[in-house]
Amino acid sequence: MQKEKTFYGLFLFMSIFLMPVYASANMVWPSLYIAEGMRSWYVILTGLAAEIVFVKYFLKESLLKSALIAFIMNLVSTAFGIFLIPLSGFIGELLITPFVYDTFHPTHWLMSYALAVLTNVLIEGFTVKIIFKHKFKKMFWWLCAANAVSVIICALFHGLYMENIII
């Protein structure tokens, strides 16, 4: 039984990595657009401003420390999010593609949006938990709200400006 599980796991792993490159890239396009948008100056500034306010209000920190916390958690989420957002989109696409094949169907954009928000929340939440010793449970919902704003800006602005994209 263990040998069968190992074989199936290895088969799945090899199947994913032996797919043609164009098929792999095509599966994560919405997430790639979002990840690209997360590096835009207006998204970064909007996200920082929103998160400074949220940190100040919900974690009861000084304005300077709130700015520091927001800056560090965004720095870490940018560094890891460039890789993890497309990866989360790829995993999500593996789950949804059997039901809705069109990569740019609104369901794929919504799933990519939700996974990008969740990915950022997890990265930022654990960064603040580890570095600044705040409880993750206390931050989860306001991090979701703050990241929802940043990611929707990415999806809307970058999605609307791309050719043949309808959100």
Side-chain angles (χ1 to χ4, degrees):
M1 185 67 169
Q2 183 62 27
K3 286 183 180 183
E4 286 179 12
K5 286 183 180 180
T6 303
F7 172 76
Y8 289 125
L10 183 61
F11 177 75
L12 179 62
F13 178 80
M14 294 301 289
S15 297
I16 290 171
F17 288 102
L18 292 177
M19 278 193 264
V21 174
Y22 68 87
S24 299
N26 189 37
M27 288 181 72
V28 295
W29 279 130
S31 294
L32 289 174
Y33 285 131
I34 292 170
E36 179 67 26
M38 297 300 283
R39 296 186 300 182
S40 302
W41 66 268
Y42 52 86
V43 173
I44 292 169
L45 290 179
T46 303
L48 270 174
E51 288 175 351
I52 288 169
V53 171
F54 278 87
V55 169
K56 173 98 176 95
Y57 181 76
F58 288 105
L59 295 183
K60 311 284 190 239
E61 296 287 358
S62 69
L63 186 58
L64 185 60
K65 189 163 183 185
S66 297
L68 178 66
I69 290 171
F71 177 77
I72 289 174
M73 69 185 192
N74 277 284
L75 187 67
V76 173
S77 73
T78 299
F80 287 102
I82 289 170
F83 303 105
L84 293 178
I85 289 172
L87 179 63
S88 72
F90 181 74
I91 292 167
E93 290 294 330
L94 288 176
L95 298 173
I96 199 170
T97 298
F99 305 104
V100 181
Y101 185 72
D102 180 12
T103 302
F104 293 108
H105 189 272
T107 56
H108 291 255
W109 275 99
L110 288 171
M111 182 207 43
S112 294
Y113 171 77
L115 290 173
V117 169
L118 183 61
T119 300
N120 280 339
V121 167
L122 293 174
I123 295 168
E124 291 177 357
F126 285 116
T127 298
V128 175
K129 178 182 176 167
I130 291 167
I131 295 173
F132 297 100
K133 310 297 185 214
H134 286 284
K135 293 183 180 181
F136 182 75
K137 284 175 107 175
K138 187 176 181 179
M139 296 179 282
F140 182 79
W141 290 110
W142 64 260
L143 276 173
C144 283
N147 279 287
V149 171
S150 298
V151 175
I152 198 69
I153 291 169
C154 293
L156 289 177
F157 285 102
H158 286 270
L160 291 175
Y161 289 120
M162 301 296 169
E163 290 184 29
N164 303 319
I165 305 294
I166 299 174
I167 300 178

